[in-house]
Amino acid sequence: MATPAPAEITAMRRAIELAARGLGHTSPNPVVGCVVLDAAGRTAGEGWHRRAGGPHAEIHALRAAGERARGGTAVVTLEPCDHTGRTGPCAQALIDAGIARVVYAVSDPNPTATGGALTLAEAGIDVEGGLLADEAAAGNEAWLTAVLRGRPFVLWKYAATLDGRIAAADGTSRWISSPESRADAHRLRAAADAVIVGSGTARADDPQLGVRIAGLADDEITPPLRVVVDSGADAVKPGARVLDGTAPTLIAVAEDADAGHLEGLAPIVRLPRAPQGRGLSLPALLQALYDRDVRSVLLEGGPTLAGAFLAAGAVDKVVGYLAPALLGAGPAVLGDAGITTITQALRLDVTDTARLGPDLRITAVPVRTARPEEN
Ligand SMILES: NC(=O)c1ccc[n+]([C@@H]2O[C@H](COP(=O)([O-])OP(=O)(O)OC[C@H]3O[C@@H](n4cnc5c(N)ncnc54)[C@H](OP(=O)(O)O)[C@@H]3O)[C@@H](O)[C@H]2O)c1
């Protein structure tokens, strides 16, 4: 791409920040931010996509800019859409507003929405893609992964001692991680469309799986769908905290499970059992969630379910909160993931480390080994 103006780089950084405000609210749509600069390069309007079905980022920014958009530049984190879904095409709105130049970061991989750049160029608008593309793509990693893989993005999150234990030998586990780590984990929940636990965790902890963030009112949070994977429909009982009605809940059970006692308490989805191993088919679970517009999943475990997700190649990112404590005995953070020898170890790239109070937060992504045909 040609050298962008400094004001365009600053505007793109701001647009990426604005886009992040939509995390957790926009699925099945991406998060998008937009800054409109006037003809002199000054910020005239800002916007972000706030929720699915609402106006796109460009429309908010154009409205804020008003007449100052004429002859100006729209800086947007994703290629403007070219299709009429629940809202009109953004490419046309930019043309109608008299925008002279459009700078975007990431091309739209969605086959139904792509083509905006071409439409804009055909209308005589100067169009450039690729500005701060890596940063913008990182902000949209869940949606981009979901489009690419045809299933929701899965982030596995856990809290463990430094020796990788999630509970002591007698089963006691509260609280392994610090208040700072737990607050951070609630931010992960708020950014996800669904949070998943297995029946073992439902039985042991009776988790509520809601989101609490200091300083944010309930109406500023879109709580994720609470999903319990409970093949026999025998772990979630009437009165379970996950059925408290404060957020949507889905109980995934086997096709042959007797789930009569859940009638009227929570929606259930019946899924085939896994062809081998225990529990339900994970591809079927992820498909059922995708069909419900879930694009990002926070997998909260426990170790058995996490092992099955890893064995299925269905973990895209790992966030581990490591507390500076040692237990020496007690369950490990990860159960059987189908790995029997060291050469099969799932290798990860660490993408971030942070101190949260006394704890260490490690973020890592699986190293995807290239298949021969990809070399
Ligand atoms: N520290 C942490 O970060 C953390 C997080 C979560 C949990 N935990 C702890 O973990 C412990 C529970 O762990 P857990 O391993 O016993 O239970 P789990 O992983 O929560 O649940 C495992 C169960 O999920 C069901 N399941 C359904 N489909 C499955 C599939 N495809 N693959 C595997 N399992 C599937 C199976 O039972 P059915 O088929 O019978 O339904 C299985 O036994 C608790 O002590 C809890 O406190 C710790």
Side-chain angles (χ1 to χ4, degrees):
M1 63 179 293
T3 314
E8 292 174 353
I9 299 174
T10 306
M12 187 63 87
R13 291 227 158 82
R14 174 70 180 152
I16 292 169
E17 277 173 23
L18 292 168
R21 296 186 186 178
L23 278 172
H25 308 286
T26 63
S27 286
N29 294 342
V31 294
V32 186
C34 178
V35 174
V36 169
L37 303 174
D38 66 14
R42 290 174 305 229
T43 298
E46 295 184 338
W48 72 96
H49 187 38
R50 291 162 188 246
R51 57 175 179 82
H56 290 186
E58 297 90 323
I59 308 302
H60 282 298
L62 287 173
R63 280 182 195 157
E67 267 309 298
R68 290 176 66 200
R70 200 156 292 282
T73 298
V75 177
V76 55
T77 56
L78 187 70
E79 178 184 354
C81 75
D82 197 28
H83 80 308
T84 304
R86 281 183 274 186
T87 59
C90 291
Q92 193 55 49
L94 291 162
I95 295 166
D96 294 346
I99 285 286
R101 177 169 155 82
V102 171
V103 180
Y104 65 90
V106 178
S107 297
D108 194 328
N110 192 347
T112 56
T114 193
L118 190 64
T119 301
L120 291 163
E122 282 172 358
I125 292 175
D126 178 22
V127 185
E128 291 220 27
L131 178 60
L132 301 187
D134 290 348
E135 288 95 316
N140 236 335
E141 68 175 342
W143 182 81
L144 288 167
T145 303
V147 171
L148 188 74
R149 302 199 189 286
R151 62 152 175 83
F153 170 84
V154 177
L155 167 59
W156 171 42
K157 164 247 142 182
Y158 66 83
T161 60
L162 206 51
D163 58 334
R165 312 269 167 191
I166 56 159
D170 67 356
T172 51
S173 62
R174 280 192 187 195
W175 295 100
I176 283 186
S177 59
S178 64
E180 292 88 342
S181 292
R182 297 202 298 278
D184 193 68
H186 275 261
R187 281 189 284 277
L188 293 185
R189 275 190 194 164
D193 300 329
V195 43
I196 302 184
V197 294
S199 56
T201 300
R203 257 188 218 102
D205 298 349
D206 186 20
Q208 195 257 352
L209 301 179
V211 178
R212 289 169 300 282
I213 296 181
L216 277 194
D218 284 352
D219 61 0
E220 293 175 273
I221 295 169
T222 305
L225 176 69
R226 303 176 290 185
V227 182
V228 182
V229 192
D230 182 12
S231 315
D234 49 8
V236 180
K237 304 251 169 29
R241 296 173 70 217
V242 79
L243 301 176
D244 66 3
T246 57
T249 299
L250 182 69
I251 315 293
V253 304
E255 285 161 333
D256 56 0
D258 176 3
H261 59 289
L262 292 173
E263 224 158 87
L265 291 178
I268 62 166
V269 58
R270 291 190 177 275
L271 299 175
R273 290 186 184 270
Q276 56 219 9
R278 65 208 297 182
L280 302 177
S281 157
L282 296 183
L285 171 68
L286 291 172
Q287 184 64 51
L289 295 176
Y290 196 89
D291 294 344
R292 285 163 173 75
D293 284 349
V294 168
R295 295 294 178 267
S296 66
V297 158
L298 183 66
L299 173 65
E300 296 213 6
T304 307
L305 192 62
F309 266 79
L310 280 161
V315 172
D316 300 300
K317 195 174 195 177
V318 180
V319 171
Y321 298 94
L322 289 182
L326 299 169
L327 281 165
V333 73
L334 184 61
D336 181 8
I339 297 166
T340 53
T341 184
I342 191 70
T343 52
Q344 298 171 337
L346 183 74
R347 302 282 172 184
L348 306 169
D349 270 336
V350 173
T351 56
D352 183 57
T353 57
R355 283 296 295 264
L356 295 179
D359 300 343
L360 190 59
R361 183 189 65 195
I362 300 184
T363 306
V365 293
V367 177
R368 301 226 175 253
T369 43
R371 290 191 299 269
E373 67 269 24
E374 292 172 340
N375 288 326

